[in-house]
Amino acid sequence: MVSLKRAILLFTVIFFTVNPFTVRAQASEISTPEEIDAYSQHHVKDDYYFSLFSHKASGKHYGFALPVILIDNGLKVFSSAEFHHGDAVVEKDGQFYKLYHSKIYKTDAAGSIEYDAKGYPSNEKPWDFSITKNVAGLIIATILLFWAFLSLAKTYKKSANAIPTGMGRILEPLVIYVRDEMARPNIGHRYREFMPYLLSVFFLIFLLNLMGLTPIGFNVTGNITITFGLAIVTFLITNIKANKGYWKHIFWMPGVPVPFKILLAPIELLGIFTKPFSLMLRLFANMTAGHFVIMGFIAVIYLFQSQLTLGGSIGISMLLTLIIFVLKLLVSFLQAFIFTMLSSLFIGMAVEEHPEHH
């Protein structure tokens, strides 16, 4: 068991460490600003295929495909490899589908894509329940979190004072940190009621951010639909659990002259929606920016390859990428901390007991 744990730990360290070098190898064929932009955009987008690296000259892609699940006059399940990265049209039960700009469209046998007046594809899209990179990342993160916390829970079932072992030694300090530095100070005596959510969102974001540093290229928290979903959950919990004092301070603030109450009410009401919006945008923007910075450093170095020589460009590229990689480790924790801290703060404001209402 000990040797297995050491092997897993060694694999994890190597998996994270080789990421900057894998990214550099993928970008080594970039030579024009257009290719830089296309590569960067592809790196942060969701996809139906895990592309580890590709060879531009031969047109070969190395990685593994994910399952495509469509509902269009029945259930259709097939491998995304059949799209050949958008070069082929897939026929299923007389229906034709084409992968175009990371989306699946219904088309004809020739793969024709029609456009509207604004230049966007106007082809009909089937109901898409495919396992994309982001979905796969969420599934993997969920399984890992269940495994880790069930292991920690078993330790406490033996004895309340039992010392955690294995993964529990890492989790316990973080759990205590969330409880003592976020939940208790911001929520007060009702903190236990919201600890399950705060722990879930903290560890989910932190783990997804770490997964984004691996060579596989997850960018789950850099997808605005994911951050929107997390922000919506905070929004619902905050407003469903809010007490009467919270709503009174929004619509009819105590101790304020009536004209100002009328003036402040719309502003306070708007604040209900701007809070989750800031949560959504902050997490999305920071994680996406981190990926673009790494891509930018690598691409700029290769654009100046003739001035720096091949060895110099590779060395500087690796150095800058490693520096950003280390910074992103810090940012991964920081963004999980900020999202959880602000969520606990918003919840605390909603459930706070105001003296004038006793």
Side-chain angles (χ1 to χ4, degrees):
M1 178 61 71
V2 175
S3 59
L4 177 60
K5 289 181 178 179
R6 288 180 178 177
I8 294 174
L9 179 61
L10 179 62
F11 173 77
T12 303
V13 171
I14 294 174
F15 200 55
F16 278 84
T17 304
V18 300
N19 182 52
F21 303 96
T22 306
V23 173
R24 184 200 63 76
Q26 285 180 298
S28 60
E29 295 182 328
I30 293 176
S31 57
T32 66
E34 290 75 18
E35 289 176 332
I36 292 171
D37 182 65
Y39 180 79
S40 299
Q41 292 286 344
H42 174 76
H43 182 76
V44 300
K45 284 183 178 180
D46 196 11
D47 201 357
Y48 295 88
Y49 192 90
F50 275 110
S51 182
L52 300 179
F53 58 92
S54 59
H55 189 264
K56 186 171 68 174
S58 62
K60 291 184 178 180
H61 297 265
Y62 300 90
F64 50 94
L66 293 168
V68 175
I69 305 171
L70 305 177
I71 296 180
D72 183 35
N73 295 323
L75 180 65
K76 296 174 175 59
V77 181
F78 56 94
S79 171
S80 62
E82 295 188 36
F83 285 119
H84 293 286
H85 299 277
D87 296 329
V89 177
V90 176
E91 186 272 328
K92 296 293 176 182
D93 301 329
Q95 302 286 336
F96 297 92
Y97 305 98
K98 182 176 178 62
L99 180 63
Y100 183 72
H101 288 182
S102 301
K103 296 185 184 296
I104 296 176
Y105 295 93
K106 297 178 66 173
T107 182
D108 53 24
S112 303
I113 299 293
E114 299 177 355
Y115 302 89
D116 58 20
K118 295 182 179 179
Y120 294 105
S122 58
N123 294 52
E124 185 181 353
K125 290 189 289 186
W127 288 95
D128 192 351
F129 296 91
S130 304
I131 306 298
T132 62
K133 286 172 62 176
N134 284 348
V135 176
L138 285 170
I139 293 173
I140 293 171
T142 302
I143 293 172
L144 290 175
L145 289 177
F146 265 107
W147 167 73
F149 278 99
L150 286 175
S151 176
L152 183 61
K154 287 179 181 178
T155 301
Y156 292 130
K157 281 185 177 180
K158 296 177 182 177
S159 171
N161 298 319
I163 299 176
T165 58
M167 183 60 67
R169 292 183 180 179
I170 300 174
L171 292 178
E172 187 182 51
L174 292 173
V175 170
I176 295 174
Y177 182 80
V178 172
R179 183 193 68 185
D180 293 346
E181 301 298 328
M182 301 184 202
R184 276 179 173 171
N186 292 322
I187 300 176
H189 68 279
R190 291 182 61 183
Y191 78 93
R192 290 181 180 274
E193 185 179 347
F194 304 98
M195 276 294 290
Y197 171 66
L198 295 178
L199 288 174
S200 298
V201 75
F202 174 80
F203 283 99
L204 178 64
I205 293 174
F206 188 32
L207 181 57
L208 289 174
N209 289 347
L210 291 179
M211 289 170 60
L213 301 178
T214 62
I216 295 180
F218 288 106
N219 186 33
V220 183
T221 47
N223 186 310
I224 199 166
T225 57
I226 301 297
T227 60
F228 173 77
L230 293 173
I232 283 295
V233 176
T234 296
F235 171 80
L236 292 175
I237 291 175
T238 300
N239 291 284
I240 290 174
K241 291 291 185 177
N243 57 32
K244 294 180 180 179
Y246 172 76
W247 294 112
K248 186 172 183 179
H249 275 74
I250 289 176
F251 292 106
W252 204 250
M253 191 174 294
V256 176
V258 173
F260 288 102
K261 288 182 178 182
I262 298 173
L263 180 64
L264 290 174
I267 299 174
E268 291 293 329
L269 183 61
L270 181 62
I272 295 176
F273 300 97
T274 56
K275 290 172 184 175
F277 180 79
S278 68
L279 285 177
M280 172 193 73
L281 201 59
R282 181 182 288 105
L283 179 59
F284 160 73
N286 279 281
M287 300 316 300
T288 302
H291 286 276
F292 272 112
V293 168
I294 290 180
M295 296 297 104
F297 271 130
I298 295 172
V300 168
I301 293 302
Y302 278 97
L303 285 176
F304 290 93
Q305 181 173 310
S306 59
Q307 291 88 345
L308 298 171
T309 73
L310 179 60
S313 65
I314 292 175
I316 295 176
S317 175
M318 286 185 174
L319 177 62
L320 291 175
T321 306
L322 282 171
I323 292 173
I324 297 300
F325 181 78
V326 173
L327 289 175
K328 282 199 69 178
L329 284 175
L330 175 61
V331 171
S332 296
F333 172 82
L334 186 61
Q335 290 305 315
F337 166 80
I338 291 173
F339 193 100
T340 310
M341 174 63 83
L342 290 177
S343 294
S344 66
L345 181 62
F346 298 155
I347 292 171
M349 294 169 61
V351 301
E352 179 184 3
E353 296 292 341
H354 299 278
E356 64 269 17
H357 300 300
H358 289 295

